[in-house]
Amino acid sequence: MEDYQAAFIERYYDTEMLDKSGRKIGAMHFGGVTIECLLKGMIFATLPNSASKEWKTDNNNPGHTFTNPGHSYTEALKRHNKLKSRIDKLPQVRKWLDEIENPIGQHFIDIRYSSIEVNNENYKSWFNTYQKLIKWLQKQATKL
């Protein structure tokens, strides 16, 4: 069974190490995964205690109707109505999500195959947005 909260923490540290090592594409890839894990952890936190913390599939009924959103932030937000509603009221946060999900014009999952070198200015902007988004999401997690 996935432990998205623990995975979030581990991927956060991975992203920090890649950032400190100057591995920009790796940091952007793992940064995207970090946010994905945080969102999925927030979804699971909304489940009733009686439900199993796993995704519903054709062969598995964990006591809720949430299917795995894959690597899509938009699909993840569809599974967390309160968070989606807050983000819909804050265009800046929606912009942050888009920047982290699609750095350098490609989805964060796909950039792991990229050989594009990101210039320092664009990377610093991305990393700053990544840090703001994590702080904002974590703040929401304590309020939802």
Side-chain angles (χ1 to χ4, degrees), residues 100-123:
I100 303 308
E101 188 171 17
N102 297 293
I104 68 168
Q106 287 181 284
H107 194 271
F108 71 90
I109 291 296
D110 299 330
I111 66 170
R112 70 188 187 276
Y113 301 119
S114 178
S115 62
I116 295 172
E117 185 58 37
V118 180
N119 72 43
N120 284 335
E121 185 178 323
N122 289 344
Y123 176 75

Side-chain angles (χ1 to χ4, degrees), residues 17-29:
M17 292 302 296
L18 288 161
D19 173 64
K20 286 178 175 53
S21 301
R23 305 297 297 171
K24 296 176 217 162
I25 291 292
M28 293 170 120
H29 170 65

Side-chain angles (χ1 to χ4, degrees), residues 29-48:
H29 170 65
F30 272 96
V33 173
T34 302
I35 298 298
E36 175 188 341
C37 290
L38 180 53
L39 290 172
K40 288 178 175 180
M42 291 173 76
I43 293 165
F44 276 11
T46 68
L47 296 176

Side-chain angles (χ1 to χ4, degrees), residues 4 10 15 40-41 65 72 83 85 113-116 119 132:
Y4 291 109
E10 290 299 317
T15 303
K40 288 178 175 180
T65 60
S72 170
L83 181 60
S85 177
Y113 301 119
S114 178
S115 62
I116 295 172
N119 72 43
K132 287 188 291 192

